[in-house]
Amino acid sequence: MNQKQQFNISVTLWTLTSKEIRRFLRIWIQTLVPPAITMSLYFVIFGSLIGPRIGEMDGFNYVQFMIPGLIMMSVITNSYANVVSSFYSVKFQKSIEELLISPMPNWTILLGFILGGVARGVLVGMIVFFVSLFFYPEFQIQNVPLTLLVLLLTAILFSLMGFLNAIFADSFDAISVVPTFVLTPLIYLGGVFYSINILPDFWRSISMANPMLYVVNTFREGMLGVSDVSISFSLIMISIFIIVFSFLCLYLLKKGIGIRT
Amino acid sequence: MNYALEIKNLVKTYTGGTKALNGISLNVKEGDFYALLGPNGAGKSSTIGIIGTLVTKTSGSVKIFDKDIDINVAEAKSMLGVVSQEINFSQFEKVLDIVTTQAGFYGIKKSIAKPKVKDILIRLGLWDMRNDQARTLSGGYKRRLMIAKALIHEPKLLILDEPTAGVDIELRREMWDFLREINNNGTTIILTTHYLEEAEQLCRNIGIIDKGEIVADTSMKDLLSRLDVQGFVLDLEEHLEAEPKIDGYSLKLEDSLTLVTAINKNKSINNLFDELNKLGIKVKSLRNESNRLEELFIEMVKR
Ligand SMILES: Nc1ncnc2c1ncn2[C@@H]1O[C@H](COP(=O)(O)OP(=O)(O)OP(=O)(O)O)[C@@H](O)[C@H]1O
Ligand SMILES: [Mg+2]
């Protein structure tokens, strides 16, 4: 028997990652078009129609102020959605057995799905950015490295959260509960549409407990150079959460929770 | 002796309390063609699930060609191919992509995988359907796709959980030939089936599992030889009023044209025919009362 095939870890990782990317590209009408349309509507309604009446926010034209927030909103929802629905359907269709039976280690399984989610998040983020240029062509990114760093970290963080959600999910309902009842409200109240400086003290303090606020504002700092929160604190917190969630996912995979009977 | 599979004291209790395996031990030799039989719910799929790490074990150990599945994980897994009882590929992907992706999960580069995938799809008669979505295949071809997936990394041990369930007679025979061929080429095969004829035809050794316990683990020959009485049905040419009395044979008239007998292994059938001839009873045809293995099986797993 020929048993000389050496086990090549980069091949397994690329196989899974490219499969994940192909999946969301194949269903682009469900994955890439909706954010472009929704965000265009936001720009038209809140930016072009209502924006002039709102005036300036933190010293910026309202469309300009919204751009980073809307990009973050898209990155968060898309990276999360990609991983939660892909990993849950792999469980549901039992094709997860194809991964579990193979010699690929758990961290490659996790990383493959996360990279898939990051790819979609980043791609959608870029699409929304290009859409926004249509409404505000003179937009200039203030701090490109910081912008890219936050973009990447955010996509990783929410891909991880999507993965966690999928591990525990045992029905299709369970994969929409968190996005609908937790993510969406937190994002809307997390400074996408306004600076918390416009809020009364009480609501401002409450808002400070919303993790989305840190993500959105750090990204706004990168794109516009303004933020309601401390950048270094945010970056450290995002990184800590990424590390904690990664280990949690790996631990659950090792224990076989939600994937092995 | 080299074992392809060594299972020691395997226990599985599912969350919820179902005890599927009560500490089974089993060895399968390299090159063997082994049948794992047992009634529904006996624990066959649980055992296979644990071997393939799809099911977590409660306790016990499993070695594949001397590699422990908990310690030498990657090595053990790369020598194992499993065809699960239930379909486990994405129904919306193409046949070709499913097998190519599976090769990738085993770390096989695309350029190396390509000819292998083509070869296995041709051998299993799936090449013409390579661009079809998996869900459009018929049940029998879905099974073949499962086999193609399990063989793509050329495992030394192949385990099939009811591979011929719901497969028509012709496809089943083809599958048998295929399995015999890869066994002849050195692959150790373990299969579960509810068709005892299949086990009898294909397998050299046999294990019977019932309620999570191994109740037999022996060679097919040995098992069949344990059967000391065989039932025969004789179809008669002319009606009989009462059953004939012949010394040393018990005969029963089922209806006036059918005679049923159980013959001890040390008695000859020739003798019986001689005696029947003497009585002027003409036998039109003779058949086995039922599959011998089936009788034995029923005997062993009696509740
Ligand atoms: N995921 C599960 N959760 C709880 N109990 C289970 C699970 N899978 C199997 N069981 C139980 O474990 C026992 C053994 O089941 P198993 O599937 O191993 O039997 P089997 O021999 O493969 O049967 P069959 O011939 O019907 O395929 C049964 O009582 C079954 O109900
Ligand atoms: Mg079974």
Side-chain angles (χ1 to χ4, degrees):
Chain A
M1 287 293 292
N2 113 46
Q3 208 61 52
K4 285 189 290 287
Q5 311 151 349
Q6 71 284 37
F7 176 63
N8 189 331
I9 204 102
S10 58
V11 172
T12 59
L13 180 60
W14 176 242
T15 303
L16 181 55
T17 308
S18 60
K19 178 174 183 255
E20 283 300 291
I21 293 174
R22 263 185 285 122
R23 191 195 74 95
F24 76 73
L25 290 180
R26 189 175 57 223
I27 50 171
W28 58 279
I29 297 195
Q30 295 170 49
T31 53
L32 304 180
V33 175
I37 293 179
T38 326
M39 294 307 148
S40 300
L41 289 171
Y42 277 121
F43 285 126
V44 170
I45 296 172
F46 294 101
S48 306
L49 299 179
I50 304 178
R53 298 194 184 192
I54 297 174
E56 290 193 338
M57 186 71 73
D58 268 359
F60 290 93
N61 169 304
Y62 192 58
V63 178
Q64 199 181 0
F65 179 84
M66 273 201 324
I67 290 172
L70 291 180
I71 293 178
M72 264 306 99
M73 181 155 131
S74 315
V75 172
I76 290 171
T77 47
N78 279 278
S79 38
Y80 191 96
N82 197 68
V83 180
V84 75
S85 59
S86 176
F87 191 56
Y88 180 70
S89 61
V90 160
K91 268 174 59 171
F92 181 77
Q93 299 198 50
K94 282 179 171 289
S95 63
I96 192 171
E97 292 187 1
E98 295 176 342
L99 296 166
L100 300 181
I101 197 95
S102 80
M104 79 196 289
N106 290 335
W107 67 264
T108 6
I109 298 181
L110 178 63
L111 189 55
F113 279 97
I114 299 309
L115 289 177
V118 168
R120 173 158 153 203
V122 169
L123 183 57
V124 167
M126 296 202 307
I127 290 175
V128 174
F129 181 58
F130 286 119
V131 167
S132 72
L133 288 181
F134 193 75
F135 295 90
Y136 195 85
E138 56 275 35
F139 194 96
Q140 290 266 320
I141 298 177
Q142 291 302 310
N143 185 341
V144 177
L146 179 64
T147 303
L148 291 179
L149 178 69
V150 178
L151 176 69
L152 211 58
L153 290 179
T154 307
I156 295 173
L157 178 60
F158 287 92
S159 295
L160 281 166
M161 289 171 66
F163 195 87
L164 276 174
N165 189 169
I167 284 187
F168 290 109
D170 50 9
S171 70
F172 277 101
D173 284 344
I175 67 173
S176 64
V177 166
V178 180
T180 313
F181 295 103
V182 182
L183 281 188
T184 309
L186 287 182
I187 294 172
Y188 275 82
L189 300 174
V192 170
F193 298 101
Y194 52 83
S195 160
I196 56 165
N197 291 327
I198 66 167
L199 297 177
D201 284 351
F202 173 73
W203 290 108
R204 191 183 317 159
S205 319
I206 297 240
S207 293
M208 295 303 277
N210 180 352
M212 299 297 173
L213 186 76
Y214 297 87
V215 176
V216 169
N217 272 284
T218 315
F219 193 64
R220 186 168 284 135
E221 171 74 33
M223 290 195 91
L224 294 177
V226 289
S227 162
D228 294 344
V229 300
S230 149
I231 300 306
S232 49
F233 173 77
S234 307
L235 287 178
I236 290 170
M237 286 313 283
I238 295 174
S239 307
I240 288 176
F241 275 109
I242 288 178
I243 293 168
V244 170
F245 286 150
S246 301
F247 279 102
L248 184 57
C249 287
L250 288 174
Y251 172 79
L252 294 168
L253 282 175
K254 188 169 173 1
K255 285 274 160 194
I257 301 208
I259 57 167
R260 293 184 162 97
T261 43
Chain B
M1 175 44 87
N2 274 339
Y3 289 117
L5 177 69
E6 271 180 276
I7 292 178
K8 276 209 188 75
N9 301 320
L10 210 56
V11 174
K12 173 65 189 177
T13 310
Y14 283 102
T15 38
T18 312
K19 197 153 191 199
L21 300 172
N22 295 324
I24 64 163
S25 298
L26 199 66
N27 293 331
V28 176
K29 291 179 199 129
E30 178 163 9
D32 202 353
F33 206 137
Y34 191 95
L36 187 60
L37 305 185
N40 288 136
K44 304 179 296 293
S45 298
S46 301
T47 308
I48 294 173
I50 291 171
I51 299 169
T53 72
L54 305 176
V55 174
T56 51
K57 56 185 159 48
T58 308
S59 64
S61 72
V62 177
K63 282 183 187 170
I64 297 165
F65 290 99
D66 229 26
K67 304 289 179 206
D68 194 300
I69 58 163
D70 296 319
I71 302 166
N72 306 99
V73 188
E75 275 174 284
K77 284 179 163 183
S78 64
M79 291 187 284
L80 172 72
V82 173
V83 178
S84 293
Q85 185 171 5
E86 285 170 51
I87 301 297
N88 65 2
F89 45 74
S90 164
Q91 302 268 356
F92 295 97
E93 275 176 65
K94 289 185 200 160
V95 171
L96 189 69
D97 292 344
I98 289 175
V99 184
T100 310
T101 303
Q102 184 72 72
F105 291 157
Y106 279 97
I108 306 170
K109 279 207 199 86
K110 212 162 195 169
S111 56
I112 299 171
K114 239 179 159 174
K116 281 179 195 274
V117 172
K118 180 170 180 181
D119 180 57
I120 194 79
L121 289 182
I122 289 174
R123 282 172 73 191
L124 284 159
L126 284 162
W127 183 244
D128 291 341
M129 308 157 196
R130 63 189 177 281
N131 290 317
D132 295 351
Q133 276 194 5
R135 70 191 165 89
T136 65
L137 299 183
S138 75
Y141 279 88
K142 282 184 180 152
R143 290 257 143 239
R144 290 174 171 222
L145 177 52
M146 300 274 289
I147 296 179
K149 241 177 23 157
L151 284 174
I152 191 62
H153 60 297
E154 297 169 43
K156 289 167 75 179
L157 171 63
L158 176 66
I159 304 182
L160 308 105
D161 200 351
E162 295 187 34
T164 56
V167 173
D168 76 29
I169 298 170
E170 200 185 327
L171 270 179
R172 185 179 307 161
R173 305 250 158 189
E174 275 179 41
M175 222 183 255
W176 289 359
D177 288 340
F178 179 78
L179 292 177
R180 272 197 201 103
E181 188 191 318
I182 60 171
N183 178 244
N184 285 337
N185 291 337
T187 308
T188 311
I189 299 184
I190 300 174
L191 70 79
T192 77
T193 176
H194 289 292
Y195 303 109
L196 299 186
E197 186 207 349
E198 180 165 282
E200 201 172 342
Q201 290 270 338
L202 288 173
C203 301
R204 276 186 287 282
N205 290 299
I206 182 170
I208 297 180
I209 179 169
D210 186 30
K211 295 184 209 113
E213 317 253 5
I214 298 282
V215 294
D217 178 15
T218 174
S219 74
M220 189 66 76
K221 252 199 192 135
D222 193 57
L223 190 72
L224 289 173
S225 71
R226 280 196 217 167
L227 201 68
D228 44 5
V229 179
Q230 265 198 73
F232 289 101
V233 179
L234 311 174
D235 296 310
L236 308 177
E237 291 206 334
E238 287 155 21
H239 292 274
L240 265 188
E241 302 272 294
E243 47 225 355
K245 295 264 179 304
I246 299 173
D247 243 10
Y249 297 91
S250 77
L251 293 161
K252 247 178 47 198
L253 209 53
E254 201 163 271
D255 57 54
S256 64
L257 278 177
T258 321
L259 207 52
V260 181
T261 178
I263 301 180
N264 222 293
K265 249 190 1 208
N266 50 27
K267 289 254 158 67
S268 100
I269 301 184
N270 269 338
N271 262 343
L272 175 65
F273 278 100
D274 285 346
E275 297 295 324
L276 286 173
N277 256 338
K278 278 184 205 160
L279 294 170
I281 298 171
K282 296 225 157 56
V283 178
K284 196 157 71 180
S285 63
L286 163 83
R287 55 196 155 89
N288 255 3
E289 189 172 42
S290 66
N291 186 304
R292 301 143 69 206
L293 192 58
E294 229 156 73
E295 281 174 36
L296 197 61
F297 180 77
I298 300 284
E299 185 64 32
M300 299 184 93
V301 299
K302 235 181 220 157
R303 318 244 140 186

